[in-house]
Amino acid sequence: MLTYARAFTCLWLWRYVRLIVNLLASWTFQPIPLPINPTVFPKDVTVIIPTLAGEGGEFVRCLNSILACSPAYVYIVTPHKNVSRLVKELEFLGSKAPQIIGVDKPNKRLQMIQGLKRSTTALTIFADDDVVWPNTFLHFLIAAFEDPKIGAAGTCQRLHRVPKPSCWNILGAIYLERRNFEISATTRLDGGISCLSGRTSAHRTAILKNDAFIDGFANEVWLGGISLVSADDDNFLTRWMVNHGWKLSIQYCKEAELTTTLEDSHRFLYQCVRWARTNWRSNITSMFVEKTIWRDQPWCCYALHLTTFNPPAAIMDSLLAYLLYHATQPMLPNCIGSVMTVFAMWLLFTKIVKLLPHFYRYPNDIKFIPIIILFGYFHGLIKIYALLTLHKTSWGGRPSVSGLGNALQKSAFAPSGRAGRIGPS
């Protein structure tokens, strides 16, 4: 029985020390205050928005919110076929209108590079075309760069709330809630972040605007043969900062909280598979190829990166229950029942404690707790499937774009002849 008890204790500590410490860290996290005498301003920011279509209500809300924050420049980078339409549709913005840049092939990395080569400001922000920023967003985000050691920064995120959320919408909201919890905790403890989300991330332009970065970003391959030019762009950016000695930061406060959208149907599962593949590839690279995080972000490595290799939650929970049950056999039967009941309550607590801020905002969502827990167990199968399909880099049903490495490299800082300008130049 002692062997079962020791095994249970070791497994319990491995799994839950990080939760307990992360809870304390996240609950005591303090946002970066606005400086009294700032040295970085919105006029020092260029915003780049890669988009495939550049249309619809989400895109309009995104663009309006970004323009309301008054960055120096906004570039919309889209396939050439969309340029003339966007120029015409956005004419009403006048002098506030962004520049429209056309690219030959729809690929996020290519589009990001084409925008980056035009950035002349100290900071460059990459933003997805479905995010919405509050008016206070930019001032609070760029406050991170008052520290000269910070190379890149991100923010907290929430899902756009719909009047009658579906199960898919709730699962998406919970995904972002967990992410907010994890990055606030690891940032608080050792400054580590497994990935600065590509939904919106800010970077010092000088770090990215060099041939070494462009070459790596344009031609990334995994395990010597899998091209990643159609995936994992935000992970590459994050690792580049860490591996080149720059610190990362998260501005976690309401004033810097963006809202976004996720798939509100079964296609949310495609997103989960894509994220899981990205985690496998990037975490393996961080830990076993580049290895910088072991030295610079030890807690983040333990609390986030290593969890990629944990067995699915269903297996872990079952194994803990099995070990605990056998460890309590010398007890009286009624005591065994009490111990197992307490353990079940502990498991329930661990499933929902990270989500308490969400349930505080939306108490009616408490009824979704059973679905959230069941999906957590199902996600273990997604994780295994992702591991077996790491060679796939397409987004859901969208085919990946092949043969872009050389095109990206050649176009990195070459002048582009197709850019539409709205408003005065």
Side-chain angles (χ1 to χ4, degrees):
M1 301 309 165
L2 186 60
T3 301
Y4 285 113
R6 287 174 176 171
F8 172 83
T9 301
C10 291
L11 187 58
W12 190 93
L13 290 173
W14 167 259
R15 192 175 189 195
Y16 293 118
V17 163
R18 69 172 178 269
L19 173 63
I20 295 169
V21 174
N22 279 353
L23 285 173
L24 296 175
S26 181
W27 292 344
T28 58
F29 182 92
Q30 294 294 322
I32 303 165
L34 290 180
I36 298 175
N37 298 305
T39 61
V40 185
F41 303 91
K43 68 179 182 180
D44 299 314
V45 175
T46 293
V47 180
I48 298 169
I49 310 173
T51 181
L52 287 179
E55 60 184 355
E58 288 180 2
F59 177 72
V60 172
R61 286 193 298 271
C62 167
L63 186 57
N64 283 337
S65 71
I66 291 174
L67 292 174
C69 292
S70 301
Y73 304 100
V74 177
Y75 296 108
I76 299 173
V77 191
T78 188
H80 285 307
K81 64 180 181 180
N82 298 327
V83 171
S84 58
R85 173 180 59 80
L86 279 170
V87 169
K88 185 175 181 179
E89 289 179 356
L90 300 179
E91 275 183 337
F92 72 94
L93 292 173
S95 61
K96 293 184 178 182
Q99 291 191 25
I100 315 299
I101 303 170
V103 294
D104 292 325
K105 294 184 178 181
N107 176 272
K108 189 175 182 181
R109 293 201 190 202
L110 170 62
Q111 291 167 250
M112 291 167 70
I113 290 174
Q114 288 293 336
L116 177 63
K117 74 179 186 182
R118 289 167 171 78
S119 179
T120 57
T121 54
L123 302 178
T124 296
I125 295 180
F126 297 112
D128 280 356
D129 62 359
D130 61 349
V131 298
V132 176
W133 297 358
N135 292 343
T136 53
F137 183 87
L138 202 50
H139 283 283
F140 278 80
L141 175 58
I142 64 179
F145 294 94
E146 295 294 334
D147 181 348
K149 296 180 181 178
I150 297 295
T155 70
C156 53
Q157 306 171 11
R158 308 280 183 208
L159 193 68
H160 175 68
R161 185 74 175 183
V162 296
K164 295 182 179 180
S166 66
C167 290
W168 302 111
N169 189 267
I170 295 298
L171 292 174
I174 294 307
Y175 163 79
L176 294 179
E177 194 68 52
R178 284 197 182 103
R179 186 184 183 280
N180 289 337
F181 169 82
E182 290 166 351
I183 62 175
S184 63
T186 55
T187 301
R188 172 81 169 84
L189 290 165
D190 66 2
I193 302 168
S194 60
C195 176
L196 277 174
S197 171
R199 293 182 187 91
T200 292
S201 60
H203 310 262
R204 292 191 187 273
T205 306
I207 301 174
L208 307 183
K209 220 170 180 183
N210 68 76
D211 292 339
F213 170 78
I214 293 297
D215 180 66
F217 193 59
N219 298 284
E220 185 184 8
V221 294
W222 194 69
L223 295 183
I226 301 174
S227 173
L228 297 183
V229 295
S230 294
D232 305 1
D233 50 273
D234 46 5
N235 284 274
F236 183 93
L237 284 164
T238 304
R239 295 198 314 272
W240 183 270
M241 295 293 169
V242 174
N243 293 328
H244 289 78
W246 291 95
K247 293 184 177 181
L248 307 174
S249 182
I250 289 292
Q251 181 63 293
Y252 192 176
C253 59
K254 189 68 177 178
E255 293 82 359
E257 179 183 286
L258 66 81
T259 58
T260 187
T261 59
L262 297 174
E263 292 290 343
D264 194 10
S265 67
H266 71 280
R267 288 183 61 81
F268 176 70
L269 298 177
Y270 292 137
Q271 289 184 311
C272 291
V273 171
R274 178 178 170 88
W275 296 329
R277 288 185 187 131
T278 291
N279 285 339
W280 278 111
R281 288 190 295 252
S282 186
N283 290 348
I284 289 172
T285 300
S286 293
M287 290 188 291
F288 304 118
V289 179
E290 298 163 345
K291 304 177 184 178
T292 308
I293 60 170
W294 294 100
R295 181 192 68 235
D296 294 350
Q297 301 176 359
W299 180 262
C300 183
C301 187
Y302 159 66
L304 289 182
H305 292 85
L306 280 175
T307 58
T308 302
F309 301 91
N310 282 352
I315 294 177
M316 291 285 279
D317 290 353
S318 299
L319 181 56
L320 282 167
Y322 172 83
L323 293 172
L324 181 60
Y325 177 78
H326 284 279
T328 57
Q329 286 308 296
M331 298 180 179
L332 296 173
N334 61 331
C335 292
I336 295 175
S338 297
V339 170
M340 297 307 293
T341 299
V342 170
F343 176 68
M345 293 175 63
W346 167 257
L347 283 182
L348 177 62
F349 170 78
T350 63
K351 307 296 184 188
I352 64 174
V353 64
K354 299 177 185 179
L355 314 178
L356 292 180
H358 176 86
F359 294 131
Y360 177 79
R361 291 191 303 275
Y362 306 109
N364 287 337
D365 289 354
I366 290 175
K367 63 179 178 286
F368 289 101
I369 286 179
I371 295 175
I372 292 168
I373 293 175
L374 289 174
F375 184 79
Y377 287 127
F378 175 74
H379 192 270
L381 297 177
I382 293 177
K383 187 176 170 181
I384 294 172
Y385 174 75
L387 175 62
L388 298 175
T389 56
L390 290 180
H391 61 285
K392 295 185 178 181
T393 59
S394 61
W395 191 100
R398 183 186 301 164
S400 60
V401 181
S402 59
L404 277 178
N406 290 333
L408 282 164
Q409 189 176 20
K410 291 177 182 177
S411 67
F413 291 103
S416 173
R418 299 188 185 181
R421 171 64 183 169
I422 307 172
S425 53

